[in-house]
Amino acid sequence: MLSKLNATKLLNFIYVLYLLSLLEAFVKQLLAEYGYASVDWNVSEFLINYQGGFVRRGLLGEILFFLAKNYHINVEWTIKIFSLIMFAAVCTFFVKSFVKRGYTLYILPTCFFLGVFILFPCWIKKDALMLLAFITILWIWSTQKAIPIFGKIIFINLLAMLMIFIHEVFAIWALPILFLLLFNHFKKGNITASIGIALACLLPSIAVFLVVISASGDAVLSQKIWDSWHILSGKATGKVPHWNAVGAIGWPRNYTFIWHLRRNYLTIDNKIISCVYWAAVLPVVYYVVTNALMVFKKSATIFTNEHKTILSAILVFQFFALIPLFTFLSVDLGRIFLYWTSTAFIIFLLLPLGTSSSIFPKKFIKTVQNINDWLSKILRPSKSTLAFLLLFVAISSYGFVVPRAYNTMIAYRALQMLSQPFIILKEAARLIFS
């Protein structure tokens, strides 16, 4: 049997290998050439513009198109550098917040969940920008006491509307918690009136969301967007790829909903059906996220049972907000796990404990406590338990494909990194003796 000290050293070694594998993946993505004709979703998500007419997700692409047309910027590297700055800003927020609270950085990848930010890769998408906007909104709300409430409401709506024009998914995971905060602030004896006031405060953002989702686009519009970039670059155009972000603008709604639902829960891969896989993975992710800070805490007061309950309540609430994405609006499940865990941690880290505990009904808090107690009876939270789960939990990034799932597994990526020197030696030997 390994001693506790040796086991810790082994885990630390595996963890370092895992971080190195993330760094290797990140560098490859940074140096990869995508180009206008790429079917890759990452860069193409930024290319959606208004050249075919007003459409959802087109604002950032229209700005890029304007800059490329008038200032001849390198679009691909502009996207990469911009994404890198946003990603660095989000990571800086998490690291500083963890250090300030005395949390161990050991479990920081669980915020993103298990490196999906890089492995998907979500950093070459609009996700970091949206998370940074969400951080800014909650920071203004919770820390800037000198700003009057109406000033905060105006700021929230302006930034939220901007993000919704960039990507409508922001409304799905940001507006529900903002509604709760506003409802709690204006809470009166009459609940109906309080709900009305909170909704009125968010009315501009809700209106923009409804406008944006109504402009879903079609095949003709997506082709015009695709052509606009090729005409600008002087390259021959062709049919827009069906499987990239620009092509997806042209998908019919009914096809989109049904295809996503089937892909998420009725896919069979390696004799495993996806609905069973997700039913097993979701509780594990919840268990890991809600217990990691507890079992790896440096002192008893840093993270208490009350903290765990509040983080759990936020996590459950954000999960319910994301149900449309988990079911029929997306198959980017790795990306949705990122939204789920990272937004829950952002809310937990930025809102005072008293605020977080007051925005949820007492019955909801009690139910969450009961769930946590039940899970703890099934599997007692401990460092060894969490370490084991962290080593082997796997998230399929896009739809359900078994290789995509184990590619996010810490143990798999550590073995992959450990194999690199031997692969290099084997290749060198082949070149020498061939």
Side-chain angles (χ1 to χ4, degrees):
M1 292 292 290
L2 285 170
S3 68
K4 283 188 177 181
L5 181 61
N6 288 333
T8 300
K9 287 181 178 179
L10 178 61
L11 284 172
N12 288 341
F13 177 65
I14 293 171
Y15 187 71
V16 169
L17 288 175
Y18 170 67
L19 293 180
L20 288 173
S21 78
L22 293 183
L23 179 62
E24 179 194 35
F26 176 78
V27 171
K28 285 181 178 178
Q29 294 155 16
L30 187 65
L31 299 178
E33 293 184 8
Y34 295 95
Y36 290 143
S38 173
V39 298
D40 190 277
W41 200 283
N42 306 323
V43 166
S44 67
E45 184 176 77
F46 287 86
L47 301 182
I48 302 168
N49 58 33
Y50 296 148
Q51 293 303 301
F54 178 76
V55 69
R56 62 193 171 99
R57 309 179 189 180
L59 178 59
L60 201 55
E62 187 65 17
I63 294 170
L64 277 170
F65 188 85
F66 173 82
L67 293 174
K69 184 177 181 180
N70 294 284
Y71 299 99
H72 310 292
I73 62 168
N74 184 306
V75 174
E76 185 173 322
W77 273 102
T78 300
I79 291 169
K80 287 180 179 178
I81 292 169
F82 176 77
S83 300
L84 181 58
I85 293 170
M86 295 299 102
F87 176 53
V90 172
C91 289
T92 299
F93 162 77
F94 274 99
V95 171
K96 288 182 71 174
S97 298
F98 268 49
V99 170
K100 183 179 178 180
R101 291 198 176 202
Y103 298 156
T104 176
L105 296 178
Y106 190 84
I107 61 97
L108 191 57
T110 62
C111 299
F112 296 132
F113 180 76
L114 292 182
V116 167
F117 220 134
I118 290 175
L119 297 176
F120 192 54
C122 294
W123 74 272
I124 317 181
K125 287 186 173 71
K126 300 171 182 177
D127 300 333
L129 171 63
M130 291 188 290
L131 290 176
L132 190 61
F134 189 55
I135 290 167
T136 305
I137 286 172
L138 290 186
W139 178 76
I140 291 290
W141 177 268
S142 60
T143 66
Q144 300 307 295
K145 307 298 182 185
I147 301 176
I149 184 62
F150 293 110
K152 290 182 178 181
I153 291 169
I154 291 170
F155 176 83
I156 286 171
N157 278 288
L158 287 174
L159 194 49
M161 288 189 293
L162 178 64
M163 290 302 109
I164 293 167
F165 277 123
I166 288 172
H167 201 308
E168 72 278 4
V169 74
F170 182 85
I172 294 174
W173 49 255
L175 293 190
I177 194 69
L178 294 176
F179 167 79
L180 276 189
L181 288 172
L182 288 162
F183 172 79
N184 184 65
H185 181 84
F186 292 108
K187 191 159 54 179
K188 310 289 183 185
N190 190 324
I191 294 178
T192 304
S194 301
I195 292 172
I197 293 170
L199 287 174
C201 290
L202 290 174
L203 190 59
S205 297
I206 295 170
V208 167
F209 175 65
L210 294 175
V211 168
V212 166
I213 61 172
S214 67
S216 57
D218 54 30
V220 174
L221 188 144
S222 65
Q223 186 64 52
K224 287 181 179 178
I225 295 170
W226 194 246
D227 292 343
S228 69
W229 287 104
H230 288 78
I231 293 169
L232 185 65
S233 64
K235 297 179 180 178
T237 187
K239 185 173 175 57
V240 58
H242 183 70
W243 297 111
N244 79 359
V246 177
I249 290 293
W251 294 358
R253 279 199 181 116
N254 290 342
Y255 165 82
T256 301
F257 295 161
I258 294 169
W259 185 81
H260 283 157
L261 198 59
R262 287 176 176 172
R263 181 77 175 174
N264 285 337
Y265 298 103
L266 297 175
T267 299
I268 298 174
D269 190 52
N270 286 269
K271 298 183 179 180
I272 300 172
I273 191 165
S274 50
C275 61
V276 173
Y277 171 78
W278 292 119
V281 168
L282 281 167
V284 173
V285 173
Y286 175 84
Y287 183 90
V288 168
V289 172
T290 54
N291 285 294
L293 286 172
M294 178 68 79
V295 301
F296 289 107
K297 63 184 178 183
K298 298 173 184 177
S299 68
T301 57
I302 284 177
F303 193 82
T304 64
N305 282 320
E306 185 181 6
H307 290 110
K308 177 182 173 179
T309 300
I310 296 304
L311 176 59
S312 303
I314 295 168
L315 198 67
V316 171
F317 180 81
Q318 289 300 98
F319 174 78
F320 281 117
L322 285 162
I323 282 177
L325 294 180
F326 270 114
T327 51
F328 58 87
L329 289 181
S330 178
V331 292
D332 300 345
L333 289 169
R335 194 177 187 184
I336 302 167
F337 273 91
L338 165 69
Y339 295 150
W340 183 28
T341 56
S342 59
T343 59
F345 271 104
I346 289 167
I347 295 164
F348 176 74
L349 290 168
L350 282 174
L351 295 184
L353 192 63
T355 302
S356 299
S357 59
S358 65
I359 61 176
F360 298 112
K362 290 182 180 179
K363 285 185 179 180
F364 179 71
I365 296 289
K366 184 63 179 177
T367 301
V368 169
Q369 286 177 328
N370 291 336
I371 292 171
N372 287 343
D373 292 342
W374 178 69
L375 289 173
S376 296
K377 286 178 182 177
I378 295 174
L379 191 63
R380 188 178 67 85
S382 66
K383 286 185 178 180
S384 56
T385 300
L386 266 292
F388 177 83
L389 291 175
L390 281 168
L391 283 176
F392 295 105
V393 67
I395 304 296
S396 181
S397 58
Y398 181 80
F400 174 65
V401 181
V402 171
R404 286 180 185 153
Y406 66 64
N407 188 49
T408 65
M409 193 186 297
I410 288 179
Y412 171 79
R413 297 200 68 84
L415 287 172
Q416 199 177 47
M417 283 304 297
L418 203 58
S419 301
Q420 291 304 309
F422 299 99
I423 293 172
I424 293 170
L425 286 173
K426 180 183 176 182
E427 183 62 22
R430 185 186 67 80
L431 291 172
I432 291 170
F433 297 107
S434 60

